Amino acid sequence: MKTAFITGITGQDGSYLAEHLLEQGYKVVGMMRRSATPSTARFAAVEDRVEIGHGDLLDQSSLMRLLDEHKPDEIYNLAAQSFVHSSFHEPIHTSDVTGLGVMRMLEAVRLVCPKVRFYQASSSEMFGEVHETPQRETTPFHPRSPYGVAKVYGHWATVNYRESYDMFACSGILFNHESPRRGKEFVTRKISDHVASIVFGEKDQLALGNLDARRDWGFAGDYIRAMHLMLLADTPEDYVISTGTTESVREFCRIAFERVGLNYEDYVVVDPRFFRPAEVELLLGDAAKAKEKLGWEPEVDFRGLVEMMVDADLQTRLDMYKEPTRGFLPDTLKVS
Ligand code: NAP
Ligand code: F7E
């Protein structure tokens, strides 16, 4: 039985990846950092099948101890301070975790288990102020936030360790991917959660920042399959993972409110607090290499993603309130 070691197991991607790898017959070890209120909610469905090891990307010795203890075949480095907006408020912390944390993982691998297959969670935020559209593996980087800068560092550290030490190290340049398990600070989940709150009378409006920003949004459940495929390939390479479509925040709002028979213009207000010092205006990925070499393709389209997220947040409220106070509910929801 192969062992997979996942950092960031409590996050959105960590939970989907753990489920996927367990289905594929892996033993899964997840790294969790100490917290006053530890949260295993996202991977609750498989909690009793995941082994937890305590460690932190800020603590080199914990990483080395865990790799030595568990001797994994594959490592997925998903842990990061991943919220771009916060990276402007906590640039040093973000650099330490999201940038230097990758180097700590790579050093732990080099010293403890150099034959392991290593995946680094790189990001389309590295393209930032884009130099070409669509963005592909060869597009130059121009990050627009401390988060993006830190991810560029982690990306090149991964490439460098592959070239210097012949390690099987891959960097997945993933475009935005979302799900009902997305944190509520990210715009997609903020919108779906507010739609449900508005329908059930908890809130009357939704305050957002830049409605014209465009993203290539996919479903997290599709994207974690690509991570696994990268580590199963014959050679370690870097891949763009994206849907090849781009939509605005405004369009996400329009479809989300339409799902419950409401007009987003009646509820969305623009609040300057949610603007960033520098913005990434447009992202659109070209995942042709992943399709050709890994056979990877996304299964959920943009509308399917929006409706999945809105429905999940409605379902949670429906279980509490039974009746909506505004709009209507999709037929597929179930009253318990
Ligand atoms: P997420 O939900 O924010 O999860 C981040 C994870 O990192 C959490 O488990 C968090 O643990 C952990 N973490 C944070 N600081 C840590 C530290 N010092 N030591 C150990 N663990 C730490 O992120 P995600 O959406 O699943 O994304 C997974 C990875 O892909 C991240 O590296 C992200 O930057 C990258 N990425 C995401 C996207 C996307 O659209 N989702 C796109 C491209 C790349 P706590 O629960 O303790 O906070
Ligand atoms: O913002 C705009 C905001 O915070 C998307 C992370 O997973 O994907 C994510 O980073 C867009 C931006 O994600 C609000 O200005 C408008 O243009 O959902 P987001 P992100 O910054 O794209 C990349 C690929 C990652 O790697 C990151 O880890 O939406 N926007 N109004 C807003 N954004 C937020 N959060 N809140 C608003 O009210």
Side-chain angles (χ1 to χ4, degrees), residues 5 9 16 31 53 118 125-126 129 143-144 166 169 185 192 221 241 259 266 272 279 292 310 333:
F5 181 81
I9 187 88
Y16 282 107
M31 186 179 87
F118 178 84
E125 282 294 299
M126 302 190 302
E129 181 77 23
R144 295 273 282 170
D166 201 23
E185 66 275 35
S192 65
I241 301 297
R259 180 75 174 155
D266 296 333
E279 176 62 292
E292 188 200 322
V310 171
L333 295 198

Side-chain angles (χ1 to χ4, degrees), residues 146-160:
Y147 170 82
V149 171
K151 282 289 179 188
V152 171
Y153 177 88
H155 173 82
W156 283 119
T158 305
V159 173
N160 179 252

